[in-house]
Amino acid sequence: MSSSTADKPSPPGLRTGSLGTADISFFVVSAAAPLTVMAGVAPVALVLGGIGAPAGYLLAGITLAVFAVGFTTMSRHVRSGGAFYAYIARGLGTPVGIAAALVAMVGYNGMEIGVYGLLGSATADTAHALWGVDLPWLPIALAGLLLIWYGGYRSIDFGAKVLGVLLVAETGILPLLAGGVLIEGGADGLSPASFAPGNVLVPGMAAVLAFAFSAFTGFESTVIYRREARDPDRTIPRATYIAVAFLGIFYAFVVWTVIQAFGDDRVVAAASDDPGGLFFAAITTYVGAWAADLMHLFIVTSIIASLLAFHNAINRYGLALAEEGVLPAALGRIHPRHRSPYVAGVVQTVLGAVVVLGFAAAGADPYAQLLLWVNTPGMLGLMALMLLAALAVVRYFRRVPHREGALRTLVAPVAAAVLLAVAIWLVASKVQLFTGASATVDAVLLAVVPAVFVLGLLLAHRLRRTRPEVYAHFAAEPAEPAEPAEPAEPAPPAEAAEPAPPADPAQPAESGEPSCPHPTSSSSTPVSAPPSPPATPLSPSATD
């Protein structure tokens, strides 16, 4: 027995039109974990760069805002679910795009899996500080794996609601601290000295910038949610700019208020004596001990929010690569009810469990080794992807017809590429500040991203030889749905029917093609995606 394609139910796709600007912004800002970055990392930036540290966060934010100009412009022209790797493939060629896809998977997994060590250690510290209970970190990390898996398994709008609540909690405690400091006038009155050139242009600012760039990691993931966004051509750019502006201004303002809490002359000494307790001491003094207790709890929820945001991003990269044919097709399965890439979520959770258990079996420290050693190559990988994406924007718009201005397609991307190259050099040259490891370990960690990139180029070569159809369609635009057929005129009643006129050759025959769209090989087809310009080639990488 046979049935037509139209009779077969279509496989479930992602829940389109679910996310607005605020929802995507929650995902992006939550991935950056603002409270954890401030309480856990900003004191070290103060020790290294002095009171000019707030300016470092502003400079990093400005750099990434310049990058976002070209990045969001290209998001209107490339609708693939692969985000970074799709942009890079369309601009720099298929081999570089496939290599970028592997770097993206390693980068996002590194940024997420290492944080399970932070979840275990921070939760144990919170339990000890609040209740005097000593908890082992490993069960906490494993419980976190299950919790994050469930959050990714549920629908994307469920995740957006959870992250919205957690983000309001973690970012709300820091303005509470800032308000207390401003009302009291700080330790010695409010001072703008942090932004004076003499305090900004100091040797330690290079280290501050390295930390500052790492504090924005994850902001670029807005484009990953294109298929689930409402009006993505507007929502994605808005969410990207909101995230960058919020993080840059918020970080600089909070660090500046903590400087005021101790005074320009004493804050560096206070941060050196107890970097982990700096923010807790400030909020206890200016707000109360109860606020310090809340900050302990909200750091844990901040970490959970970051884990969930990265987990969702990784799942969608896995889904996109499965649809491309690069990863096993099973990773492209979407849950029929929750419309989530649930198989990719299971695989990512299992990978996280393997890494966490491996570090635990080796007796590694959850913070100094699991977090820092796994996060560092992840951070460098994502920064390298941003650099490649900036270069891809320039080349893409030189090769295809468009109506975008030179500022968006040339000036801003070139400036962003230069600034990002400097940022990567700063992070690589100061890597010992991030890892606290030996020179040998640092060399291995720095080699991870180049090694993965080379493996990706080899994979591209193999795909071109053994699976040319996958290679040829890599990062191609999703197929457009067919135009709906015009409704047929109702037939006249039988008793009034006129004799049938001769067949009109302009009209399609009754036995012609069905009016429903033909099935495509990818579930990434956006229902309301605008048609591509006819002059735009399907894939500029075909010239490789």
Side-chain angles (χ1 to χ4, degrees):
M1 181 177 66
S2 64
S3 61
S4 68
T5 303
D7 294 332
K8 297 178 181 178
S10 300
L14 294 175
R15 196 184 297 275
T16 59
S18 299
L19 303 177
T21 300
D23 298 322
I24 298 175
S25 300
F26 287 152
F27 276 105
V28 172
V29 177
S30 296
L35 178 56
T36 303
V37 165
M38 289 288 93
V41 181
V44 180
L46 283 168
V47 171
L48 297 172
I51 63 172
Y57 289 96
L58 283 180
L59 291 173
I62 291 170
T63 297
L64 296 177
V66 173
F67 165 76
V69 172
F71 186 61
T72 57
T73 299
M74 197 161 180
S75 73
R76 296 198 291 266
H77 296 259
V78 178
R79 300 187 305 279
S80 167
F84 263 146
Y85 78 71
Y87 291 18
I88 293 167
R90 299 293 296 280
L92 302 181
T94 298
V96 181
I98 292 173
L102 292 194
V103 172
M105 292 299 292
V106 170
Y108 279 104
N109 273 287
M111 289 303 299
E112 196 228 16
I113 294 172
V115 177
Y116 284 110
L118 178 61
L119 175 65
S121 60
T123 304
D125 290 345
T126 295
H128 181 79
L130 298 184
W131 305 295
V133 177
D134 292 320
L135 299 175
W137 72 271
L138 181 58
I140 298 170
L142 295 177
L145 279 159
L146 292 175
L147 179 64
I148 299 305
W149 162 79
Y150 179 74
Y153 170 76
R154 291 293 303 271
S155 62
I156 191 67
D157 46 347
F158 170 83
K161 291 180 176 66
V162 171
L163 289 178
V165 172
L166 297 181
L167 185 62
V168 168
E170 70 168 297
T171 55
I173 195 72
L174 290 171
L176 185 65
L177 164 62
V181 173
L182 294 177
I183 290 171
E184 294 290 332
D188 304 312
L190 304 180
S191 166
S194 291
F195 304 99
N199 292 320
V200 175
L201 303 177
V202 296
M205 186 53 64
V208 173
L209 285 170
F211 279 103
F213 277 106
S214 69
F216 288 81
T217 304
F219 90 91
E220 74 294 331
S221 61
T222 51
V223 294
I224 296 174
Y225 301 102
R226 178 181 181 90
R227 286 159 57 180
E228 294 154 293
R230 295 192 293 269
D231 191 9
D233 287 344
R234 295 176 180 270
T235 302
I236 299 299
R238 286 174 182 170
T240 304
Y241 287 123
I242 288 172
V244 173
F246 173 80
L247 290 173
I249 296 171
F250 186 73
Y251 286 153
F253 172 68
V254 170
V255 176
W256 175 77
T257 57
V258 169
I259 293 171
Q260 308 313 303
F262 291 89
D264 292 342
D265 299 332
R266 294 182 295 278
V267 68
V268 174
S272 300
D273 292 342
D274 184 14
L278 187 73
F279 274 67
F280 295 100
I283 201 167
T284 299
T285 300
Y286 288 91
V287 181
W290 63 270
D293 292 343
L294 279 180
M295 184 177 284
H296 275 292
L297 293 173
F298 288 160
I299 282 179
V300 175
T301 62
S302 169
I303 297 168
I304 291 172
S306 177
L307 286 167
L308 180 57
F310 273 114
H311 179 72
N312 279 314
I314 294 164
N315 293 349
R316 279 146 186 81
Y317 258 109
L319 170 68
L321 287 172
E323 293 173 343
E324 299 278 9
V326 176
L327 292 181
L331 294 177
R333 292 179 186 167
I334 295 175
H335 194 277
R337 178 184 175 191
H338 300 304
R339 311 289 284 275
S340 62
Y342 70 107
V343 176
V346 170
V347 172
Q348 200 280 326
T349 301
V350 171
L351 175 63
V354 169
V355 174
V356 168
L357 289 171
F359 271 81
D365 183 89
Y367 181 87
Q369 291 169 317
L370 175 53
L371 171 68
L372 300 182
W373 291 10
V374 177
N375 262 189
T376 298
M379 174 183 63
L380 285 168
L382 296 188
M383 294 180 73
L385 289 173
M386 283 190 274
L387 172 58
L388 290 173
L391 296 173
V393 170
V394 176
R395 192 158 185 243
Y396 175 81
F397 284 111
R398 302 282 75 74
R399 299 168 69 186
V400 301
H402 62 88
R403 296 182 180 179
E404 308 287 355
L407 176 63
R408 291 179 172 274
T409 61
L410 180 63
V411 178
V414 168
V418 173
L419 293 171
L420 285 166
V422 172
I424 292 171
W425 175 81
L426 286 174
V427 173
S429 65
K430 304 293 181 182
V431 69
Q432 71 278 4
L433 298 177
F434 292 91
T435 64
S438 66
T440 302
V441 172
D442 286 342
V444 171
L445 296 178
L446 289 174
V448 169
V449 173
V452 171
F453 188 81
V454 171
L455 286 175
L457 293 177
L458 294 175
L459 173 62
H461 177 69
R462 183 172 180 273
L463 286 174
R464 180 163 20 190
R465 285 191 303 105
T466 61
R467 302 174 66 191
E469 72 287 350
V470 171
Y471 181 88
H473 293 92
F474 185 82
E477 286 293 86
E480 298 294 336
E483 291 295 327
E486 291 294 330
E489 292 293 331
E495 61 271 17
E498 297 290 336
D504 185 350
Q507 296 297 322
E510 233 179 287
S511 58
E513 294 296 323
S515 61
C516 64
H518 63 79
T520 66
S521 60
S522 169
S523 63
S524 62
T525 305
V527 175
S528 59
S532 300
T536 303
L538 178 63
S539 176
S541 61
T543 58
D544 295 339

